[in-house]
Amino acid sequence: MSLFSLVYAERNAEVRAILDGVDCPTPKRVEEILAQSETCDGLELSDLAELLQAGATESAYEQFEMLRAYTSARWRIAAGNSVRYVAPIYVSSYCVDACPYCNFSALRKDTVRHRLNLDELQREIQSVLARDARVVELVYATDPEYDTRMLVRDITCALEAVRELDGGGVLLCTEYLSSQAYQALADAGLRGIVQWDETLDQQAYTRWHSASPRKADFRTRMDNHDRALSAGLEVASGALFGLADFRYDALMQVSRVRYFAEAYGRAPFVMGTARLKPIAGRELHLATSVSDRAHETALMVYKIALPHVGRWLQTRETFELNLRNMLDGDVFTYSCGEVQPGGYTQINTNSIAGAQFGVNEMERSYVDSELTNLGFRIDYGWMTAPRTEALAAR
Ligand code: SF4
């Protein structure tokens, strides 16, 4: 099996060397890079670093607007765009890890925790299917109760519910698992995994995760996508912006996706775009905080670098920001079950105390009308084999 950890040192050194010497591009230089992106088979990382630098430079407003105009013209037509819908269903909020940016951290004693039993899981699934969702993502914290047998049980339950639905499928978001576990889950009918790398900056990663008994293992976690891809699963990849220099995270993610293409002949079905947000009402004033401009630049650079891969626009962001950035083929979810187990069926009535983080839950009718105005529709049943392959192809 190919492993990203075996090429990590080389990729890390390449990205750091590029960032050491990067300057903010002039508008003319942005024009050249964008023109080149249409004729070559993927821009060089050094070109992408220049575009990212425009997002990090306060005075480069014109360059930023050029990126916006380019991506909108290329991937956002007047009508007929679609975004793919995924319904996250939180199954457990018990966690042994202690990420400081998450309310499920084992150190947060005030979090109201819950673990869905099978009846409750079925009710949550039926609740999202009643709202037309067909692709469900089962979400777990690092809960030791969930061994492979339990995950197979839950996946089987979800699959039974979506099996007959055109374009339906089941995704999984858990801690990193073994190759044997992924093989068993793939055999049970799982289609793919969702995992953000948080950051591939090892120093920053260790700073954020040293108190987490499972998650502290940077290398084993880094190779998780390899184990899933080798088992035949689709993967969603990405960084959590804000833990380290966003330019480093974005370039390493592009490098990683290119590695997936070389090693497995396919790309992730979506790029995650999560960004660190205040937790429990506390603003985090960090040197690595990512402004809206920087964040939106990273989203556009992903699309320019990886034209066939959509981005997963996050409900942690405002609807206005997501509408500004939405492009054909992205993933967009307007309801996340209040990011806690039982959120769709209101098992916990004190919703804030049980949520993983703050999100913007929205009414479907409002979302539909705003999206229609912009020429978008929501695709609920997108997980057909040929379409998934096309989305994952480079
Ligand atoms: S981010 Fe995941 S691993 Fe970390 S505390 Fe939250 S649920 Fe646990």
Side-chain angles (χ1 to χ4, degrees):
M1 177 173 51
S2 180
L3 295 174
F4 187 73
S5 60
L6 299 178
V7 300
Y8 172 75
E10 179 197 312
R11 305 279 175 126
N12 172 58
E14 181 189 10
V15 166
R16 292 202 183 279
I18 289 169
L19 290 175
D20 270 353
V22 71
D23 289 320
C24 183
T26 62
K28 174 131 185 41
R29 175 69 187 135
V30 171
E31 212 173 272
E32 276 169 22
I33 296 172
L34 295 179
Q36 198 185 334
S37 78
E38 296 198 19
T39 56
C40 70
D41 189 21
L43 286 172
E44 299 287 332
L45 292 181
S46 53
D47 297 326
L48 299 171
E50 287 188 68
L51 299 183
L52 288 164
Q53 194 61 34
T57 307
E58 192 63 33
S59 58
Y61 190 70
E62 184 181 350
Q63 293 89 319
F64 173 76
E65 285 302 318
M66 288 171 75
L67 296 181
R68 171 87 75 215
Y70 177 81
T71 50
S72 298
R74 198 165 160 196
W75 293 290
R76 184 164 169 163
I77 50 181
N81 307 286
S82 66
V83 283
R84 295 169 283 161
Y85 193 84
V86 176
I89 297 178
Y90 278 68
V91 186
S92 174
S93 51
Y94 286 93
C95 192
V96 299
D97 284 325
C99 310
Y101 46 83
C102 174
N103 270 333
F104 291 170
S105 159
L107 301 179
R108 290 191 183 274
K109 303 301 178 198
D110 293 343
T111 302
V112 177
R113 296 173 198 271
H114 191 73
R115 190 182 283 129
L116 297 184
N117 63 35
L118 206 50
D119 279 351
E120 290 169 335
L121 176 60
Q122 279 166 341
R123 283 204 294 278
E124 286 281 292
I125 294 169
Q126 288 311 324
S127 172
V128 299
L129 298 191
R131 305 163 197 215
D132 289 338
R134 293 176 176 198
V135 177
V136 299
E137 176 202 7
L138 302 178
V139 182
Y140 303 77
T142 311
D143 183 345
E145 288 283 305
Y146 286 89
D147 57 11
T148 308
R149 188 185 56 83
M150 287 283 281
L151 293 174
V152 166
R153 181 199 73 168
D154 290 357
I155 290 163
T156 305
C157 168
L159 257 181
E160 276 167 11
V162 303
R163 199 186 304 277
E164 301 300 322
L165 302 175
D166 192 24
V170 180
L171 300 168
L172 185 74
C173 176
T174 60
E175 60 157 331
Y176 57 84
L177 301 175
S178 67
S179 296
Q180 291 82 354
Y182 281 131
Q183 199 54 65
L185 302 182
D187 291 347
L190 180 70
R191 288 298 296 278
I193 66 154
V194 176
Q195 185 190 273
W196 313 146
D197 289 322
E198 314 305 20
T199 176
L200 289 172
D201 176 327
Q202 186 163 9
Q203 254 193 348
Y205 185 93
T206 304
R207 239 186 352 260
W208 285 97
H209 301 106
S210 57
S212 292
R214 286 280 298 174
K215 205 163 172 177
D217 189 339
F218 178 67
R219 196 180 175 93
T220 306
R221 195 170 187 277
M222 186 197 319
D223 289 332
N224 197 45
H225 291 83
D226 285 295
R227 292 190 291 275
L229 283 160
S230 296
L233 295 167
E234 305 292 339
V235 298
S237 188
L240 170 57
F241 290 119
L243 301 181
D245 180 345
F246 85 98
R247 304 166 312 153
Y248 173 88
D249 281 330
L251 285 188
M252 280 300 279
Q253 286 301 319
V254 172
S255 179
R256 188 152 158 74
V257 171
R258 290 179 176 169
Y259 156 82
F260 292 146
E262 289 154 22
Y264 303 97
R266 60 209 163 104
F269 66 91
V270 70
M271 291 300 294
T273 64
R275 171 169 61 151
L276 209 60
K277 290 285 179 179
I279 188 79
R282 262 190 314 116
E283 280 286 349
L284 300 165
H285 297 287
L286 303 164
T288 50
S289 285
V290 180
S291 67
D292 283 357
R293 165 99 74 87
H295 186 217
E296 293 177 59
T297 304
L299 263 62
M300 293 190 280
V301 167
Y302 275 163
K303 193 66 186 172
I304 292 165
L306 310 162
H308 302 295
V309 186
R311 298 92 33 90
W312 191 327
L313 303 174
Q314 302 286 303
T315 28
R316 290 192 232 191
E317 302 295 341
T318 63
F319 191 36
E320 291 70 28
L321 185 142
N322 283 330
L323 287 180
R324 280 204 301 274
N325 288 284
M326 195 171 277
L327 299 175
D328 188 34
D330 283 340
V331 168
F332 177 66
T333 299
Y334 53 80
S335 173
C336 292
E338 296 178 357
V339 284
Q340 62 184 295
Y344 295 103
T345 48
Q346 295 291 299
I347 287 174
N348 170 21
T349 47
N350 182 357
S351 68
I352 292 169
Q356 187 182 20
F357 39 68
V359 283
N360 297 298
E361 295 271 330
M362 284 179 299
E363 288 297 324
R364 177 177 177 173
S365 54
Y366 172 63
V367 172
D368 277 343
S369 92
E370 293 295 307
L371 261 55
T372 303
N373 290 341
L374 292 174
F376 282 84
R377 68 174 182 84
I378 297 177
D379 185 357
Y380 289 94
W382 53 273
M383 205 171 252
T384 54
R387 289 174 68 198
T388 311
E389 277 159 25
L391 289 162
R394 275 176 57 89

